[in-house]
Amino acid sequence: MAPTRRWPVIPALGVVQILTWGSSFYLLSVLAAPMSKDTGWPLGWVIAGLSLGLLVAGIASPRVGAFIGEHGGRPVLAFAAIALALGLTIIGLAPNLPIYLAGWLLIGLGMGTGLYDPAFATLGRLYGAEARPAITTLTLWGGFASTVCWPLSAFLIERVGWRGTCLAYAGLHLSVTLPLVLIAIPRPPAHPVTRSEGAIPGVRLDGRERRAFLLMAGVLTLGGTVMAMVSVHLITLLQARGVALSSAVAYGALIGPAQVGARIIEMAGKGRHHPLWTLTAAMVLVVLGIAMLTAGLPLVGLALVLYGAGNGIYSIARGTVPLALFGPERYAALVGRLARPGLVAQALAPSVGAVVLTHAGADATYALLTVLAVANVALALSLWRVRPRS
C-alpha cells in the first residue's frame, strides 16, 4: 500500500527543488558575469560549466531512474544534496578554470539525482498511479526557484561575493536540503520489479510502448532544445526586434509568473483530463508564443505569457504523461531513461543557438525555434495514437 500522508512530503520536496534548481540550473544567471569579471575567465567558459553539468546529468539519469525504481528516491535525493554541496564548494574555492569545471561535474551529478525527473520518479515510486496530483503540486513549488534564488544570489553577491555565495548554497544543501530529504521522504512501498535482459530494471516494452517511448523522447528533446535556446538568447533576440534592453528584461520577467499561473490552472482541473491534453496544450501555447515573436507582431508581452504558460504546464506533462503511458511499475526507470535526451539537448542548445545567431542572424534563429516548436506539436499529437486504451 502506497503512503497516503502527503503533507510533509510535497512541501519538503518543494523546498528541495527550489534550492536545487536555484543553485545549479539558475546559478549562472546571476553569478556568471561576476565570476568572469573577478577571475578573468572567459564568460563562454564560465557558462560552459552548466552545459558540462547537464551532460553529466543526462549520462547519469537512466541509472538514477533505475535505482529509484528499486530502492526509492530518498538515498538518491540525499546524494544529490551532498554532491551539490561538494560541487559548489569546489567552485567557490576554485583557483583556476579546470578546477571550476571539475566542480560542475559534481553539480551535474547533483542535477541528475536531484532535479525534477528524480523527484517525479520518487513520487511515482511512493504513490504509484495516484502520483499525478503530487507531481503537479511539486512543479508549482519548483516554479518559484528563480523567484527565490535570483534575488538571494544577488543579495549574497553584494555581501560575500560570488565565492561566498557558492559556499552559502553549499551550506544550505547540508543544513536544509539534506535533513529535509532524510526526515520527510519515507521509504517506498515494496513491489516486485521486473528485470529486462539488460542491466536496467523494469524497461521491457512492447511495440506500442516502444513507439510511445520514442515519441516522448522526441518531445523532451525538442522541448529541452527550445527551452534552453529561449532561456539563454531571449534578450538578444528581443533586442534584434528593436526592443530596448530594459523592456526586454521586463518582458522576460513575464515568463515566470505565466508558468506558475498555468500550473495553478492545471491544478484546478484536479486531473479530470488525460495528461496528453496537458502536453498538447503546452506545445500549442509554446508554438503560438514563438510564432508571434517570429512574425514580429507588436504583442511581445502576450507572446511571452503564452510561451511561459506552455512551458509551465510542459513541466507537469513531462512527469505525468509517462505515468499514463507506461503505468507506475516501470515509471521510475523509464523517467530516468527519458530524461537523458532532454538534458543533453539543454546542454548543447545554447551553443547551437549562438552559432545560428552569429552566422545566420536573429531571423534564422526565430525560424529555427518555430520549426522545432511546430515539430513538437506534431509529436505530441502522434502520442494520442499510441496511448493505452482505457
Side-chain angles (χ1 to χ4, degrees), residues 143-225:
F144 290 100
S146 60
T147 304
V148 172
C149 291
W150 281 349
L152 176 59
S153 295
F155 173 83
L156 290 170
I157 286 173
E158 287 293 321
R159 282 151 182 81
V160 296
W162 69 266
R163 293 184 183 275
T165 301
C166 291
L167 296 175
Y169 276 125
L172 285 173
H173 281 297
L174 295 178
S175 63
V176 177
T177 304
L178 182 60
L180 280 175
V181 169
L182 295 177
I183 294 170
I185 308 303
R187 296 182 184 277
H191 70 64
V193 178
T194 302
R195 286 189 176 272
S196 65
E197 293 179 359
I200 300 176
V203 293
R204 179 174 289 156
L205 303 174
D206 61 26
R208 177 198 65 79
E209 290 173 332
R210 280 195 296 272
R211 292 191 295 274
F213 180 89
L214 291 174
L215 286 169
M216 191 65 198
V219 167
L220 294 174
T221 301
L222 295 184
T225 300

Side-chain angles (χ1 to χ4, degrees), residues 41 93-101 163:
W41 302 336
L93 300 176
N96 53 50
L97 187 58
I99 300 298
Y100 165 81
L101 294 175
R163 293 184 183 275

Side-chain angles (χ1 to χ4, degrees), residues 100-122:
Y100 165 81
L101 294 175
W104 274 103
L105 295 175
L106 278 171
I107 292 179
L109 285 176
M111 289 192 289
T113 53
L115 290 181
Y116 271 150
D117 297 297
F120 292 161
T122 298

Side-chain angles (χ1 to χ4, degrees), residues 10-358:
I10 306 304
L13 265 182
V15 173
V16 168
Q17 287 298 293
I18 288 172
L19 290 176
T20 300
W21 280 95
S23 63
S24 60
F25 191 85
Y26 293 121
L27 181 72
L28 295 182
S29 299
V30 180
L31 268 65
M35 283 179 176
S36 179
K37 182 179 179 180
D38 180 56
T39 61
W41 302 336
L43 183 61
W45 276 104
V46 171
I47 295 173
L50 176 58
S51 295
L52 181 62
L54 288 168
L55 284 173
V56 171
I59 292 169
S61 59
R63 296 289 177 181
V64 171
F67 186 92
I68 292 173
E70 288 195 277
H71 306 288
R74 183 165 66 169
V76 169
L77 295 171
F79 173 85
I82 295 169
L84 287 165
L86 290 174
L88 287 161
T89 300
I90 290 172
I91 288 176
L93 300 176
N96 53 50
L97 187 58
I99 300 298
Y100 165 81
L101 294 175
W104 274 103
L105 295 175
L106 278 171
I107 292 179
L109 285 176
M111 289 192 289
T113 53
L115 290 181
Y116 271 150
D117 297 297
F120 292 161
T122 298
L123 294 175
R125 186 67 176 83
L126 286 173
Y127 304 122
E130 304 303 316
R132 181 179 175 182
I135 291 170
T136 302
T137 305
L138 183 63
T139 63
L140 186 61
W141 282 84
F144 290 100
S146 60
T147 304
V148 172
C149 291
W150 281 349
L152 176 59
S153 295
F155 173 83
L156 290 170
I157 286 173
E158 287 293 321
R159 282 151 182 81
V160 296
W162 69 266
R163 293 184 183 275
T165 301
C166 291
L167 296 175
Y169 276 125
L172 285 173
H173 281 297
L174 295 178
S175 63
V176 177
T177 304
L178 182 60
L180 280 175
V181 169
L182 295 177
I183 294 170
I185 308 303
R187 296 182 184 277
H191 70 64
V193 178
T194 302
R195 286 189 176 272
S196 65
E197 293 179 359
I200 300 176
V203 293
R204 179 174 289 156
L205 303 174
D206 61 26
R208 177 198 65 79
E209 290 173 332
R210 280 195 296 272
R211 292 191 295 274
F213 180 89
L214 291 174
L215 286 169
M216 191 65 198
V219 167
L220 294 174
T221 301
L222 295 184
T225 300
V226 170
M227 183 192 75
M229 287 179 66
V230 172
S231 297
V232 173
H233 300 297
L234 176 63
I235 303 302
T236 302
L237 289 169
L238 291 179
Q239 288 182 289
R241 287 283 191 260
V243 179
L245 176 60
S246 58
S247 298
V249 172
Y251 282 134
L254 296 172
I255 294 176
Q259 291 180 157
V260 173
R263 289 168 183 168
I264 291 173
I265 293 172
E266 168 70 13
M267 285 180 62
K270 296 183 178 179
R272 286 190 288 264
H273 57 276
H274 196 282
L276 281 174
W277 281 113
T278 303
L279 179 64
T280 305
M283 297 300 98
V284 170
L285 288 169
V286 167
V287 80
L288 285 175
I290 290 176
M292 289 174 64
L293 293 175
T294 301
L297 299 179
L299 298 167
V300 176
L302 176 60
L304 290 176
V305 166
L306 291 173
Y307 169 80
N311 202 37
I313 59 174
Y314 165 70
S315 296
I316 297 172
R318 59 186 272 199
T320 56
V321 169
L323 185 63
L325 291 177
F326 306 112
E329 292 297 315
R330 298 168 296 172
Y331 176 73
L334 287 171
V335 164
R337 293 186 69 180
L338 285 167
R340 174 179 285 178
L343 289 167
V344 172
Q346 289 178 57
L348 301 179
S351 297
V352 173
V355 170
V356 176
L357 264 172
T358 301

